[in-house]
């Protein structure tokens, strides 16, 4: 979705909360380490806040939709809605609103179960290709679109591009400094982030070789390329059609929906349009969220691909306690760690700070050096 918080909150803040409950572990504390309780869930992947203070830049909320929900009506948001309507989209039932500093989608009116919340024609979406694991290829295509002379002259996609997060707002682990990544104290995320950055650097370097003729070749800086990567990993949807490879689409308005693991709304592609269909009745003023990643994402994936974490994430328990695997488990984007009670305690004791230390860092606004 969009408008991530300016600071990175410790992630996940309750990695062992459910694991402790499942295993019926009593609270335990290491000598000299007050308050370290498995049952209370104190393993934190991101041990301290990373204070980035990125400007949100999403415009001042002015109108009230309902129930004190504030609609964004800054010029860029207004231009986006005008462009969507001109292109044949159905977006009149929703508004982009401010939810305590986070940009999201709100219902303007009651939406009944089975109705289309939004419907976006396919030709308003950006098709970024079918390349799978490496987001760098799709990012290169997006950068080429953003910088193309034809796009600049005609300006057709400009209202959409104008509301995408800026480089300063990119907040996934690809944008962590070495110290910030080290402060996570969580090897799976540190390793995967390093591997992805290495792959992306190779992709970027290859894309900038002079004289290599490709449709999407365009001269961009590393920061511009990484801006494109962020849009791909955090906002793009892969659409799988029967008998075809999945294609990556950046879809205006649908990319504004935030994540809720309990969401029952469905994403569909039919009759040349991308739609979000209401899975239940929605009240006017209610925030409307969707599922990211099929609803099976642990916090490792959420912080790496979206820049946030989910409290009490059941898939963290699955990651920690499922049988150890060398590759991601079937149906999940993460490996099993195979930890028993002793392993969970050893992991807990390996962290350098207590829960109290981490909460103090959160309250203080950043790393303490």
């Amino acid at each position: 979705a969009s408008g991530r918080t300016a600071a990175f909150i410790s992630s996940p803040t309750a990695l062992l909360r459910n694991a402790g409950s499942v295993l019926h572990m009593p609270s335990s504390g290491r000598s000299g380490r007050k308050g370290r309780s498995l049952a209370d869930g104190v393993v934190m992947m991101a041990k301290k806040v990373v204070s980035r203070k990125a400007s949100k830049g999403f415009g001042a909320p002015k109108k009230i939709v309902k129930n004190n929900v504030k609609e964004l009506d800054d010029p860029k948001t207004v231009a986006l809605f005008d462009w969507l309507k001109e292109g044949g989209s159905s977006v009149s039932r929703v508004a982009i609103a401010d939810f305590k500093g986070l940009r999201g989608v709100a219902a303007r009116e009651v939406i009944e179960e089975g109705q289309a919340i939004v419907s976006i024609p396919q030709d308003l979406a950006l098709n970024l290709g079918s390349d799978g694991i490496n987001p760098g290829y799709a990012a290169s295509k997006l950068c080429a679109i953003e910088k193309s002379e034809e796009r600049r002259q005609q300006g057709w996609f400009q209202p959409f591009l104008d509301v995408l997060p800026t480089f300063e707002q990119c907040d996934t682990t690809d944008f962590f400094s070495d110290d910030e990544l080290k402060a996570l104290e969580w090897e799976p995320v540190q390793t995967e982030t390093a591997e992805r950055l290495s792959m992306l650097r190779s992709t970027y370097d290859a894309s900038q070789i002079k004289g290599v003729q490709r449709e999407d070749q365009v001269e961009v800086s590393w920061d511009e390329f990484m801006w494109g990567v962020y849009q791909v990993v955090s906002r793009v949807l892969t659409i799988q059609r029967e008998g075809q490879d999945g294609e990556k689409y950046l879809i205006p308005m649908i990319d504004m929906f935030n994540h809720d693991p309990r969401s029952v709304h469905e994403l569909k592609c039919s009759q040349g349009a991308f739609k979000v269909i209401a899975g239940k009745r929605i009240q006017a003023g209610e925030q409307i969220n969707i599922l990211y990643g099929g609803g099976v994402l642990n916090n490792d994936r959420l912080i790496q691909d979206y820049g946030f974490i989910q409290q009490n994430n059941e898939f963290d328990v699955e990651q920690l306690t499922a049988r150890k695997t060398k590759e991601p488990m079937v149906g999940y984007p993460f490996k099993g760690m195979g930890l028993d009670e002793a392993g969970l305690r050893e992991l807990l004791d390996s962290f350098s700070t207590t829960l109290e230390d981490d909460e103090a860092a959160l309250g203080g606004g950043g790393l303490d050096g």
Side-chain angles (χ1 to χ4, degrees), residues 22 123 182 229 344:
V22 169
D123 59 5
K182 183 179 179 180
V229 169
L344 290 168

Side-chain angles (χ1 to χ4, degrees), residues 19-21 23-29 36-41 341 345 348:
S21 300
L23 296 174
H24 303 290
M25 296 183 196
S27 297
S28 67
R36 302 209 44 134
S37 162
L38 285 171
D40 289 340
E341 179 175 346
R345 290 192 185 283
L348 178 63

